[in-house]
Amino acid sequence: MGQGAGRREPTMREVAALAKVSTKTVSRVINGLPGAGTEVTDRVRAAARTLGYRPDLTASSLRRSDRRSATIGVLFEDLSNPFDSALLRAVEDRARHSGVLVLAGSSEDDRALQRELLVSLSARRVDGVVVMAAGGHQDALHQERERGTPMVLVDRPPTFGGTDCVTTTNRDSSRDAVLRLAALGHRDIGFLGDRRTLWTSQERYTGYLEGLAQAGLTLREELVRTDLHGDAPAEAAARTLLGLARPPTALFTAQNLVTVGAMRALRARGEHRRVALIGFDDFRLADLLEPGITVVRQDVPGIGRKAAELVLARIDGDTSPPVHAVVPATLVRRGSGEIPPPTG
Amino acid sequence: MGQGAGRREPTMREVAALAKVSTKTVSRVINGLPGAGTEVTDRVRAAARTLGYRPDLTASSLRRSDRRSATIGVLFEDLSNPFDSALLRAVEDRARHSGVLVLAGSSEDDRALQRELLVSLSARRVDGVVVMAAGGHQDALHQERERGTPMVLVDRPPTFGGTDCVTTTNRDSSRDAVLRLAALGHRDIGFLGDRRTLWTSQERYTGYLEGLAQAGLTLREELVRTDLHGDAPAEAAARTLLGLARPPTALFTAQNLVTVGAMRALRARGEHRRVALIGFDDFRLADLLEPGITVVRQDVPGIGRKAAELVLARIDGDTSPPVHAVVPATLVRRGSGEIPPPTG
DNA sequence: GGTGGTTACGTCAACGATGACGTAGGAGTG
DNA sequence: CACTCCTACGTCATCGTTGACGTAACCACC
């Protein structure tokens, strides 16, 4: 394989020949199973070292009774997204502790691609998968789950039953954010949200509504903009809101990039010190801006670790009822969320 | 395997039995090879669909002559780091185009861990690896390469020969950044760098020295701080420099987090509009800060794509001489790098 | 001193798939 | 009609490894 060199990896048979034992004995030594004498063990070890033998896990897992590949699949929306990559890292760390490696892919919130990647993962016989479900129907995931593949959904719950899931306190934390703004005296609180097909967007919007209701505020529909995918549309939407005859005095932005877009709009209008802003999802440097951006911070490592733990447990045969773990998010005050409404 | 359900995947043999043909014929149909009549083909396809048959790539690649697993390994320092995850994404995209999936791991710049992960990857018989070499000696990588594993190093070159590598214009871009500061009239330009064991740090430092020399400036060693790992140490170092009797009027920060640390220090002292700053590596929101941060931006997707292309070509048997590809970085002016020195 | 148990091996088949090769039947050719 | 060639299958061994099982040697004990 090496730059055309075509060197083959040594096999157990070759080790066995060199050590003058059977392959079965080599297998015993390599796997540390009983039934090999000390002298033979030494001979086999020496032969393996001499030849540079390394076991072939794929052949091994083909034959073994448990059929484990010691590999799990991770299917997130976009591995270059900070949220997704932090999640991946957390899953990876937990998995490595169990000797499990991670096959990772980005599904770009595209169902066809997600299905394709799922097929690729199953062709490699991964032991289980951790998935961020693409928007819309989840037939492919459901089918895969029905086949018996251990599966944990993260960030968004399944639309089918019998499957573990880890999410954050989307609704409650959004409600709390809105209540905090209301407590400062804000009565016109705008909402900027991501694609409505996303469960998280819906939950955060619901939380926004709950917050308004609980604070005794009435919803002004013209202050709500959703389906903002990326920071550019979010910026445009924010500009529109701020240009209204009776503009919002505070904004709740329900996603990472939407927050960034809103910040750009506020800055462009020179209103970033006058209009309050709370965003969902923390981001690096949020504290270095002026004012610092108040955010709802998800416990991303916690979510990833939990998801990995769940899938590993299922792989190990845990048959307890499906779990929907909710990892609490916290509000981080940095200034932008503490701006009071203009007096008068 | 599913939550203890223990359902087995159907095999070719079962499909063959249902379609009343031999397994070899099923193999032909599944792989689209000639030698199967239309009627038989239809019967096999129907049987496969009925049973929900999915080929086992691991068994297949065990038997096949080319032994390909259609999987490559990616070993970066920290998959949750924005640079690393953007790189991973670029590699993943290019690999997917060739039907190749990615087994990813973080080596945390730890040689022992990197070696361990390398062993795990080889146990799974990956076709090749893309590696960000951990600092210090590269014996493990060298050995793996000697065994014939196709390998491409990214970000940092190998200390051994015969191996492809993709890096950016560390030295030249650093020199240009320093020259730009000098052209504005800066004569006291500080350097803040990451761990000196890293090749990139050394290169960027060399570029700094070249820039000083070319601008006719003499090095003031007390303005150089290296081995800053993370933003906290960088912030402390920047504070020290700014507190000198004759402080720098401009800073060149040679890494992502070091730039962040320097910004914090400048802000804490209220000097972020007076002291010029150019950082190596772009980061999100650099444009939203005040002033915007001027940076040397690497073409991360370009680096990742190139690395993937190289390793895939080697896997396909390309035996041309090893390549050291250098992907150019560009200077992005946002304000902080255009601050002139105080007059007088 | 036979019986039973344990230890240290070996032999064989099988995991799921494919490469090498065999073969029956039909088409084409002289 | 005999011969060749091709197509469409099937048979068998094998990839690297391990589970099931066999067996020879040795020890202990009644």
Side-chain angles (χ1 to χ4, degrees), chain B residues 192-276:
Chain B
L192 297 175
D194 199 354
R195 289 156 291 166
R196 257 179 303 184
T197 52
L198 293 178
W199 178 81
T200 48
S201 295
Q202 295 164 13
E203 285 291 296
R204 294 170 194 175
Y205 180 59
T206 305
Y208 165 75
L209 293 180
E210 286 181 8
L212 290 187
Q214 209 165 315
L217 300 176
T218 49
L219 170 66
R220 286 180 56 202
E221 299 211 0
E222 71 272 28
L223 297 190
V224 173
R225 296 293 148 111
T226 57
D227 287 314
L228 308 171
H229 192 21
D231 57 347
E235 179 175 354
R239 278 177 193 263
T240 308
L241 288 197
L242 295 169
L244 289 175
R246 187 176 146 204
T249 61
L251 292 175
F252 175 59
T253 50
Q255 195 252 6
N256 223 315
L257 293 176
V258 174
T259 305
V260 172
M263 289 186 328
R264 285 194 210 281
L266 287 169
R267 248 150 236 273
R269 297 177 56 99
E271 304 200 65
H272 51 296
R273 291 176 212 282
R274 284 204 298 277
V275 176

Side-chain angles (χ1 to χ4, degrees), chain A residues 66-263:
Chain A
D66 62 8
R67 311 296 311 269
R68 300 277 173 79
S69 61
T71 306
I72 61 174
V74 165
L75 239 45
F76 290 166
E77 184 168 333
D78 174 7
L79 292 177
S80 68
N81 176 308
F83 177 74
D84 296 26
S85 61
L87 210 49
L88 170 63
R89 179 67 209 266
V91 172
E92 184 216 339
D93 282 349
R94 179 61 190 79
R96 181 164 56 230
H97 266 103
S98 305
V100 170
L101 249 47
V102 171
L103 261 171
S106 304
S107 64
E108 313 198 34
D109 200 35
D110 174 332
R111 287 200 304 276
L113 183 50
Q114 182 160 86
R115 158 170 259 136
E116 217 179 278
L117 286 167
L118 226 37
V119 169
S120 290
L121 290 176
S122 82
R124 286 162 182 81
R125 295 300 190 260
V126 295
D127 300 329
V129 290
V130 177
V131 185
M132 195 176 285
H137 70 72
Q138 302 178 345
D139 294 1
L141 291 176
H142 190 19
Q143 277 173 33
E144 186 66 38
R145 183 69 197 88
E146 292 260 285
R147 284 170 163 272
T149 307
M151 180 182 293
V152 175
L153 296 204
V154 283
D155 196 49
R156 309 154 197 177
T159 54
F160 49 93
T163 301
D164 297 321
C165 163
V166 185
T167 60
T168 191
T169 49
N170 288 289
R171 191 185 295 202
D172 291 356
S173 294
S174 298
R175 188 194 56 218
D176 293 350
V178 171
L179 283 174
R180 164 170 300 265
L181 292 170
L184 287 169
H186 291 283
R187 302 190 55 78
D188 300 296
I189 304 173
F191 177 90
L192 297 175
D194 199 355
R195 288 156 293 168
R196 255 180 305 183
T197 51
L198 292 178
W199 177 81
T200 48
S201 294
Q202 294 164 13
E203 285 292 295
R204 294 169 194 176
Y205 180 59
T206 305
Y208 165 77
L209 294 179
E210 286 182 7
L212 290 186
Q214 210 165 315
L217 300 177
T218 49
L219 171 66
R220 286 180 56 203
E221 300 211 0
E222 70 273 26
L223 298 188
V224 173
R225 296 292 147 109
T226 57
D227 287 316
L228 308 171
H229 192 22
D231 56 347
E235 179 175 355
R239 278 174 192 266
T240 307
L241 289 197
L242 296 170
L244 290 174
R246 186 178 148 203
T249 62
L251 292 175
F252 175 60
T253 50
Q255 194 251 6
N256 224 313
L257 293 175
V258 174
T259 306
V260 173
M263 288 186 328

Side-chain angles (χ1 to χ4, degrees), chain B residues 13 21 23 56 100 134 137 154 161 163 183 187 191 240 264 292 298 306 316 321 324 330:
Chain B
R13 177 153 39 229
V21 295
T23 59
D56 183 330
V100 169
H137 70 73
V154 284
T163 302
R187 304 189 53 79
F191 177 92
T240 308
R264 285 194 210 281
Q298 299 193 50
K306 183 68 187 171
D316 273 351
H324 181 162
T330 54

